[in-house]
Amino acid sequence: MRRPDQQTTTRPTPDAAPGPTPDTPPAEATRPGPGALPSGPGAQHLADATGPGAQHLPGGTGAARRPDPAGSRADGHRPTGSHPAGARPTGARSAGDLTTEAALAPYLRGQAAEFLRSLRLHHEHSAPADSGGQDAAAATRALRRSARRISGCLHTFRAALDPLWADQLRAELAWLSGILAREHAYADRLTRLVEALHQLSGPALPAARSVRAAGDGATSDAQGRAALGVGAARAGALLERRLTLARTRSHSAALQALGSSRFHAVADAVALLASDVPLAPGPAGRTAEALLEPAEHAEQRLLTAVAALPPADTEPYNEAQDAAWHQTRLLLRLHRYAHEVVLGATDPALTGAGHALDLHRDAVEAAGAAAAAARTPRIAPATAYALGVLHADQRHEVEAARAVFRETWPYTVALSAS
């Protein structure tokens, strides 16, 4: 952990040049853009988004690649601090501009406008004529991205906003983001597992994890390749049936949610946010400290969580440790959003660490899906064996993602305790 007198990454320096917010310039953040929908409680923001034309919520495919810890030193660690070599993010905000009216309100208005633009694009590209679905997938990702940022800021800067309004809108945005994420997650999980099965059932198995006796090593590997080759096809078919069914159910749930009165209430609330941000009453919630203290608290929670992570030499099959890593991922996301509000730009030093935690989450969920499929009653032994090998492979991917996080984490002092 850092010393108490060490400057926080979320407190701007007096000589920082003022600049726009990361997603929407201040001049445009006060109103919805060309793609935004009309505001007001009575506006029909998605009047026909769930009609016959809205037949697809994209899921996206493709397994994520492991980040390359570029920019680190030869010993695998970066210098302490959020910006390598003392660099400051482009468009950093000056301390004099750090008030709720000058920083938080424009940021929330800009994210609300982006939410409404993405909502309109999703409706336009969900028609049957859009056979590829790539534009609809991009609109769904942008919609979830804006919802996460609004929800994260409502959580971190709750004291600077109307608390009742912030709690209600944050809960509704979390519900919407979760509904839209499930179909995409199931599709990515299926792609990841099927590709891993193809790699594992190739000409040769990966090198053994432990040292074996030279006499029976070749025989054991040959038997393993034969058993895995027989069960891999059946295991892939079983996974495809299970995950495709889950994805179909998630798709139906998302369509139902987009046609519900609950969703239209969320759209109305976000449309109002694009023009008016309910700030906390009184002058106390409008000062610079009303933003700096919550942002620094979010950063300290992240550093504490990272310092408490299990050490590097722990067993990768200990699934009880996954929760601590998932919590760290959520805290890192909240810190990133607070950094965007206070400093007016993203923190590039945390990009690799965030990507590694995303890979960790994907590998954990993929391993869980393989284990759940292996518990299917009356499956063939070869199928169960292939699923067991797949589960072990994904758990080693979990450990690899943790190693990448340790390499890319910029605060070397915080990781020394683990």
Side-chain angles (χ1 to χ4, degrees):
M1 299 292 291
R2 295 173 301 166
R3 300 188 308 274
D5 59 342
Q6 187 172 354
Q7 180 172 338
T8 175
T9 62
T10 52
R11 186 175 291 271
T13 55
D15 59 341
T21 55
D23 294 282
T24 306
E28 299 180 0
T30 57
R31 58 178 176 83
L37 300 179
S39 62
Q44 296 183 354
H45 304 286
L46 200 62
D48 53 350
T50 55
Q55 299 296 326
H56 177 69
L57 273 179
T61 57
R65 293 179 297 175
R66 184 177 305 167
D68 181 17
S72 58
R73 297 199 310 254
D75 57 357
H77 298 290
R78 288 187 179 182
T80 301
S82 65
H83 310 301
R88 185 178 297 120
T90 304
R93 196 186 308 280
S94 64
D97 295 337
L98 191 60
T99 62
T100 53
E101 290 90 347
L104 180 59
Y107 183 87
L108 288 175
R109 287 196 293 264
Q111 293 300 326
E114 182 63 27
F115 180 96
L116 297 174
R117 281 194 292 268
S118 304
L119 198 58
R120 179 176 178 179
L121 290 175
H122 178 269
H123 165 57
E124 293 176 352
H125 296 295
S126 295
D130 187 13
S131 57
Q134 298 299 325
D135 293 334
T140 301
R141 288 192 297 269
L143 186 67
R144 292 176 49 221
R145 182 168 56 249
S146 299
R148 289 196 305 266
R149 278 168 166 76
I150 296 174
S151 179
C153 289
L154 296 181
H155 173 79
T156 302
F157 303 105
R158 179 179 181 272
L161 302 166
D162 183 347
L164 180 60
W165 167 83
D167 291 342
Q168 292 177 348
L169 182 56
R170 180 167 60 91
E172 294 303 292
L173 289 174
W175 163 76
L176 177 61
S177 181
I179 287 289
L180 296 178
R182 291 173 189 168
E183 182 183 1
H184 177 81
Y186 283 126
D188 277 357
R189 199 170 306 156
L190 176 59
T191 302
R192 179 189 185 99
L193 290 172
V194 170
E195 290 181 352
L197 271 177
H198 286 319
Q199 293 176 0
L200 292 172
S201 61
L205 287 175
R209 302 289 182 180
S210 59
V211 179
R212 301 177 183 177
D216 59 352
T219 303
S220 178
D221 286 343
Q223 293 176 352
R225 281 194 297 270
L228 186 59
V230 172
R234 295 179 180 179
L238 176 61
L239 289 170
E240 186 170 1
R241 287 196 303 270
R242 291 172 60 90
L243 294 178
T244 301
L245 177 61
R247 180 184 179 183
T248 301
R249 291 174 176 173
S250 299
H251 177 76
S252 300
L255 289 178
Q256 184 178 3
L258 289 176
S260 65
S261 59
R262 182 180 183 181
F263 168 76
H264 287 283
V266 175
D268 284 341
V270 175
L272 290 175
L273 176 61
S275 58
D276 181 27
V277 179
L279 300 176
R286 301 171 185 263
T287 62
E289 290 301 320
L291 297 183
L292 290 174
E293 290 182 2
E296 292 174 354
H297 178 66
E299 182 188 35
Q300 290 302 323
R301 289 181 62 195
L302 170 63
L303 295 176
T304 302
V306 172
L309 287 175
D313 57 351
T314 55
E315 174 63 37
Y317 297 100
N318 188 355
E319 298 179 359
Q321 299 175 356
D322 295 342
W325 288 88
H326 294 332
Q327 179 67 12
T328 302
R329 175 177 171 271
L330 295 178
L331 293 176
L332 176 58
R333 177 172 289 177
L334 291 176
H335 169 62
R336 286 174 48 220
Y337 299 160
H339 195 282
E340 292 177 2
V341 172
V342 174
L343 292 184
T346 57
D347 189 353
L350 294 177
T351 301
H355 191 192
L357 291 178
D358 289 341
L359 288 179
H360 177 273
R361 187 269 318 269
D362 295 341
V364 167
E365 293 179 347
R375 291 191 291 268
T376 303
R378 298 183 299 276
I379 61 174
T383 305
Y385 173 76
L387 291 171
V389 172
L390 181 61
H391 174 266
D393 175 75
Q394 293 303 305
R395 289 306 305 183
H396 282 284
E397 289 295 320
V398 169
E399 187 62 24
R402 294 176 181 178
V404 173
F405 174 81
R406 294 185 179 97
E407 293 175 357
T408 56
W409 178 247
Y411 300 111
T412 57
V413 179
L415 276 176
S416 63
S418 62

